[in-house]
Amino acid sequence: MKKQAELFNGKAKTVYATDDPDKLILHFRNDTSAFDGEKIEQLDRKGMVNNRFNAFIMEKLEAAGVPTHHEKIISDEESLVKNLDMLPIECVVRNISTGSLCKRLGVEEGMDLNPPTFEFFLKNDELHDPMINDYHILSFKWATEDEIAQMKTLTFKVNDILTKLFRDAGMLLVDYKLEFGRYQGALLLGDEFTPDGCRLWDIETRKKLDKDRFRQGLGGVVEAYEEVAHRLGVKL
Ligand code: 5GP
């Protein structure tokens, strides 16, 4: 598989074309950003840890029946993926109240949400990823009714699989963001699943083990990611 032109340089990943038009290379960089790119730092080893962590989770999801874009790791910081036509939508499930939910609704932090909530956001940095609903998605043709239903079903299926996986390793999956894309007539999970895009708390102490350590200046960011990987048995 030959790496070709850089197609997209995101805040933490760079996407490259390959000699196969159906495949892309994702490069997980050490760059760590928050607040729509206002705070950016280089954190040693983060690219490698996230690449391996993401592959581990994508393989677990695939094995449990969630179709994903992941093909294989090809270097420390790179993975080969299917070339999806990404929907401009973020799907967020929350099992415990925190983050933007508490700011937006004025609800208490740390409440168990039963049932978990589901939210759609529009991927648009300039607008700070505004929250949208099914009707916006249909009116602006960002996805079809069937794709909306699939995004909800798959995002909750991921919740069932990963809540258990993390709980068995002593962690609470507080919330997470997923992105989907079209590939040969199907909807597949794309982007990444890493501690950059989810919240994970220690089950006993509720210590934060995710990107909130960076957002809130708590330090020990990569060390926390490595601890999560270690607890799950991800080989680094
Ligand atoms: P919140 O809406 O509370 O800021 O985020 C909810 C969850 O989705 C968190 O786990 C957060 O990490 C993730 N999330 C939401 N938007 C983004 C985003 O634009 N980038 C990343 N990496 N994660 C996001």
Side-chain angles (χ1 to χ4, degrees):
M1 190 62 52
K2 271 179 74 185
K3 188 160 152 183
Q4 295 188 334
E6 178 181 314
L7 297 179
F8 179 71
N9 193 30
K11 290 193 285 282
K13 293 193 294 300
T14 306
V15 182
Y16 294 90
T18 69
D19 49 1
D20 178 346
D22 288 335
K23 303 280 159 58
L24 299 174
I25 290 172
L26 290 189
H27 176 202
F28 291 79
R29 306 194 316 270
N30 286 340
D31 300 71
T32 312
S33 82
F35 314 120
D36 297 318
E38 269 176 42
K39 176 176 178 178
I40 300 178
E41 277 175 36
Q42 288 275 317
L43 299 178
D44 270 0
R45 304 192 308 281
K46 201 196 71 152
M48 179 274 290
V49 174
N50 273 4
N51 186 37
R52 298 200 185 283
F53 188 90
N54 174 67
F56 179 90
I57 296 289
M58 290 283 174
E59 283 163 16
K60 289 277 179 210
L61 294 175
E62 193 82 52
V66 175
T68 79
H69 69 160
H70 182 72
E71 295 260 312
K72 60 179 179 182
I73 284 184
I74 54 168
S75 74
D76 273 357
E77 296 186 343
E78 293 172 312
S79 284
L80 187 70
V81 299
K82 294 186 177 73
N83 182 3
L84 307 190
D85 173 19
M86 295 302 291
L87 304 181
I89 295 168
E90 299 183 344
C91 301
V92 171
V93 159
R94 300 174 192 269
N95 296 304
I96 300 177
S97 63
T98 190
S100 75
L101 178 76
C102 294
K103 291 204 187 88
R104 207 176 334 113
L105 303 183
V107 294
E108 202 181 306
E109 289 252 353
M111 290 167 62
D112 286 335
L113 305 177
N114 195 5
T117 64
F118 180 97
E119 298 164 336
F120 283 124
F121 295 89
L122 180 66
K123 254 184 98 69
N124 185 319
D125 279 347
E126 276 171 37
L127 300 178
H128 308 292
D129 296 348
M131 192 174 168
I132 53 174
N133 66 30
D134 304 33
Y135 291 91
H136 298 119
I137 295 176
L138 289 174
S139 300
F140 297 106
K141 302 196 169 28
W142 291 320
T144 65
E145 205 158 353
D146 182 49
E147 287 168 337
I148 290 174
Q150 284 189 62
M151 283 191 279
K152 290 179 185 170
T153 304
L154 290 171
T155 305
F156 278 115
K157 183 163 182 171
V158 166
N159 202 36
D160 291 341
I161 301 162
L162 296 188
T163 302
K164 181 173 184 324
L165 186 85
F166 286 112
R167 195 190 307 113
D168 289 347
M171 291 170 278
L172 295 168
L173 177 58
V174 173
D175 55 28
Y176 57 91
K177 181 260 301 175
L178 301 182
E179 296 180 29
F180 293 89
R182 300 172 182 137
Y183 184 79
Q184 298 177 354
L187 197 70
L188 309 190
L189 176 62
D191 193 50
E192 66 177 80
F193 193 103
T194 68
D196 272 0
C198 69
R199 290 191 173 99
L200 294 164
W201 294 350
D202 180 85
I203 212 162
E204 299 293 338
T205 63
R206 296 212 161 192
K207 179 184 167 188
K208 294 175 168 63
L209 299 168
D210 54 70
K211 199 162 88 172
D212 272 352
R213 300 202 69 79
F214 178 73
R215 294 187 187 102
Q216 298 172 9
L218 300 173
V221 181
V222 177
E223 289 76 5
Y225 289 25
E226 285 173 327
E227 183 179 337
V228 174
H230 178 71
R231 287 194 198 185
L232 289 176
V234 181
K235 287 204 185 70
L236 297 179

